Amino acid sequence: MESQIKKIHQQLVSKQITCTALVQEKLDLLKQNTYKSVNSLLDTLALELAAKVDAKIAKGETIGLLEGIPFGIKDVYMLQGTYTTASSDLLKNYKSPYTATAIQKLLDAGAIPLVKENCDSFGHGSSSENTIFGAVKNAVNPELVAGGSSGGSAVNVAKEYTVFSIGGDTGGSVRQPAGYNHIYGLKPTYGRISRYGLMAYASSTDCVGPLAKSVEDIRIVLNVMSGKDPKDQTSIASTEISEEVIATSTIKKVGYFKNFIESDAIDAQIKADFLASIEKLKAKGIEVKELDFFKSDILVSTYYTLAMAETASNLSRLDGTNYGNRIEAENLIETYAVTRSENFSEETKRRIVGGNQVLSQGFSDEIYLKGLALRDQISENFSKDFEEVDIILSPVTPSTPPKIGDSLKDPLAMYLSDAYTVGFSLGQLPTLTVPQGTSTGLQITAAKNNDELVLKFANFLKELI
Ligand code: GLN
């Protein structure tokens, strides 16, 4: 698909449509939708901003490419004055006191926020069922899950209720729902986009990531949000990715992880489709190399060990005193306990308990430090791989989206659905889901800071597969 941003920009500039009409149409669609993708609508703000864009156009002033473009925000980003609930009871009434850097940059470029989007509570999940607002339904088949945790964001883009949405990806939460809903979703190199104002899940892998319907729209939004931010010490400087540079491919060597494809857990059709995509690459003269990697269960357990430890630590501040709905009990300790046990979901509590166990005296050497050591080994493995290949191609998920309700019955099975996404998160690599190749898409990964190459290869695949 071509760039929706450019198309709408043209329509606005040539006065084919007004920004107010566009925003109103999208707000109506969001309000009426039955996919449970919306936590709160930002209608007053959106219409105010749209009127300003219309006034500028009427006066003959030029507008920027993102000016007047409607977008959605996963409900874990601060936008001053709006509810930021993380789809949780604890923060159901919490209003953002400030705005996240990534969102501020989009506002500065003139983009119009329409909606805070439904997601798994605090990013904990792979199906967008762990939410107080009701399970998000898949855009392609509403009996299935939307994927998670950025499920509402993926559905809004897929149904064209938003032109693009901003999700968050800690272990696959942008890429997996993008795959389940047949759109693009990017997890940039860790640090390329500031995390300031994104509610922390696992700080060492949390990434801000755009979801959209074209590579070009991903590129435009990525460029705007990127950059070093004094408010996030892990953020890094990066150079803009130009449309021309990613238009022609220079990629010669592609690798894939043999054990991902040979695993018993992979769906037979996904495997066959993935291997057919590999054949198409070979037919184009690309050299394809089979690579060795850690087994998926090691990746999943390393990721969940570290993610649970980090989330237990990050969420300790939510005790009803500084943040969150407080439930008074007999004394302070009881108040903390009741507030947290009543207001966190089962899945979030599982992670807090697991994480505190991992970090506790007597266990941390055995479990947490081992997790850190494995993470280093995984990064080293990637560094070696990228000496041999330019791109690693993989399926996004081992199987197709489950029916709504199934993942809640079997959390372990849900954790295993992250088998192909979490490794790249631990390596802090740039990785993109494209809606091609298998029924849940393909994942394109490059070496750290090589986000440009990922987009370049995505453009190349567009014509090939
Ligand atoms: N499904 C993974 C988890 O629950 C990833 C979530 C995410 O990236 N926020 O941890």
Side-chain angles (χ1 to χ4, degrees):
M1 183 180 271
E2 90 246 64
S3 161
Q4 295 298 292
I5 294 174
K6 286 184 172 165
K7 190 175 105 193
I8 294 172
H9 176 71
Q10 219 37 57
Q11 289 171 334
L12 287 171
V13 171
S14 62
K15 300 192 181 152
Q16 265 171 278
I17 56 168
T18 68
C19 189
T20 303
L22 169 74
V23 164
Q24 190 62 62
E25 182 202 325
K26 302 271 185 207
L27 285 170
D28 291 344
L29 288 169
L30 284 162
K31 197 179 275 171
Q32 289 153 13
N33 100 79
T34 53
Y35 290 84
K36 297 258 167 69
S37 58
V38 176
N39 285 1
S40 56
L41 277 185
L42 310 175
D43 34 3
T44 312
L45 172 66
L47 288 166
E48 247 173 58
L49 293 171
K52 284 190 190 153
V53 175
D54 283 332
K56 257 179 111 171
I57 296 170
K59 277 195 258 163
E61 291 176 30
T62 49
I63 59 163
L65 193 53
L66 274 186
E67 228 166 320
I69 305 294
F71 75 103
I73 306 173
K74 182 179 182 180
D75 204 6
V76 287
Y77 286 96
M78 301 296 161
L79 171 58
Q80 193 172 37
T82 68
Y83 287 105
T84 304
T85 71
S87 295
S88 69
D89 272 319
L90 200 92
L91 297 177
K92 189 160 64 184
N93 302 314
Y94 178 73
K95 278 196 173 171
S96 323
Y98 61 95
T99 300
T101 299
I103 304 301
Q104 189 59 52
K105 287 187 170 204
L106 292 169
L107 297 179
D108 293 346
I112 299 185
L114 298 185
V115 54
K116 289 304 213 33
E117 299 169 315
N118 201 356
C119 55
D120 284 302
S121 198
F122 299 104
H124 296 160
S126 318
S127 65
S128 292
E129 296 171 286
N130 173 26
T131 154
I132 61 164
F133 297 100
V136 185
K137 297 179 184 172
N138 187 290
V140 185
N141 175 354
E143 292 193 350
L144 308 180
V145 302
S149 60
S150 313
S153 310
V155 169
N156 287 338
V157 170
K159 301 298 289 180
E160 300 187 8
Y161 301 153
T162 60
V163 177
F164 65 90
S165 284
I166 305 305
D169 191 311
T170 305
S173 280
V174 162
R175 290 161 285 154
Q176 188 252 37
Y180 280 4
N181 294 284
H182 302 178
I183 58 168
Y184 291 88
L186 174 73
K187 182 196 97 59
T189 297
Y190 178 80
R192 189 175 181 109
I193 303 176
S194 165
R195 291 179 290 115
Y196 178 74
L198 160 63
M199 278 183 190
Y201 165 13
S203 314
S204 71
T205 60
D206 284 346
C207 289
V208 178
L211 298 111
K213 283 202 145 177
S214 65
V215 180
E216 181 58 2
D217 287 352
I218 294 278
R219 182 192 72 85
I220 294 168
V221 176
L222 173 68
N223 277 341
V224 170
M225 291 193 296
S226 298
K228 192 164 172 57
D229 177 11
K231 294 177 183 140
D232 172 4
Q233 302 220 10
T234 60
S235 64
I236 50 170
S238 53
T239 45
E240 256 201 36
I241 299 175
S242 87
E243 186 181 2
E244 294 70 37
V245 169
I246 61 164
T248 46
S249 177
T250 45
I251 291 142
K252 296 198 173 64
K253 285 189 195 161
V254 171
Y256 73 92
F257 296 129
K258 212 169 39 210
N259 60 322
F260 277 11
I261 307 307
E262 282 164 7
S263 135
D264 291 339
I266 192 170
D267 173 273
Q269 194 60 48
I270 293 187
K271 176 175 175 170
D273 291 343
F274 179 80
L275 290 173
S277 304
I278 291 289
E279 287 310 314
K280 286 188 190 160
L281 289 179
K282 287 185 186 159
K284 263 275 170 196
I286 291 190
E287 189 184 323
V288 177
K289 204 169 165 13
E290 290 181 349
L291 301 168
D292 292 321
F293 198 39
F294 291 83
K295 285 205 190 118
S296 341
D297 53 349
I298 296 182
L299 297 173
V300 170
S301 42
T302 305
Y303 166 77
Y304 274 99
T305 300
L306 299 178
M308 286 189 185
E310 291 188 38
T311 205
S313 163
N314 278 324
L315 295 188
S316 64
R317 76 191 76 155
L318 302 184
D319 57 13
T321 302
N322 288 314
Y323 304 100
N325 289 326
R326 182 184 178 96
I327 301 175
E328 290 292 345
E330 271 175 28
N331 54 44
L332 189 61
I333 296 224
E334 276 300 298
T335 299
Y336 288 156
V338 176
T339 297
R340 285 167 65 84
S341 42
E342 295 294 315
N343 281 326
F344 280 131
S345 68
E346 286 307 304
E347 183 57 40
T348 294
K349 282 188 275 189
R350 189 164 19 250
R351 293 173 187 223
I352 293 174
V353 171
N356 283 330
Q357 168 90 359
V358 163
L359 292 173
S360 60
Q361 210 175 9
F363 290 96
S364 60
D365 288 4
E366 256 309 292
I367 316 177
Y368 183 67
L369 295 186
K370 196 164 165 198
L372 290 180
L374 271 162
R375 181 171 70 183
D376 290 345
Q377 287 175 34
I378 290 166
S379 295
E380 268 170 43
N381 203 309
F382 281 132
S383 304
K384 284 199 200 113
D385 287 341
F386 285 113
E387 280 167 19
E388 296 191 43
V389 299
D390 307 309
I391 286 288
I392 293 175
L393 197 65
S394 54
V396 180
T397 58
S399 40
T400 52
K403 280 217 168 95
I404 289 180
D406 286 358
S407 304
L408 295 177
K409 286 182 226 148
D410 190 355
L412 202 60
M414 180 182 81
Y415 299 165
L416 288 169
S417 77
D418 298 327
Y420 301 159
T421 50
V422 292
F424 302 123
S425 296
L426 293 169
Q428 305 192 325
L429 307 179
T431 165
L432 171 78
T433 288
V434 299
Q436 288 164 288
T438 82
S439 67
T440 60
L442 292 173
Q443 207 178 177
I444 302 172
T445 307
K448 226 170 174 175
N449 299 319
N450 221 339
D451 305 55
E452 182 176 278
L453 205 62
V454 168
L455 298 187
K456 199 181 244 203
F457 196 66
N459 269 333
F460 169 73
L461 275 193
K462 236 172 21 184
E463 270 118 63
L464 185 76
I465 294 177

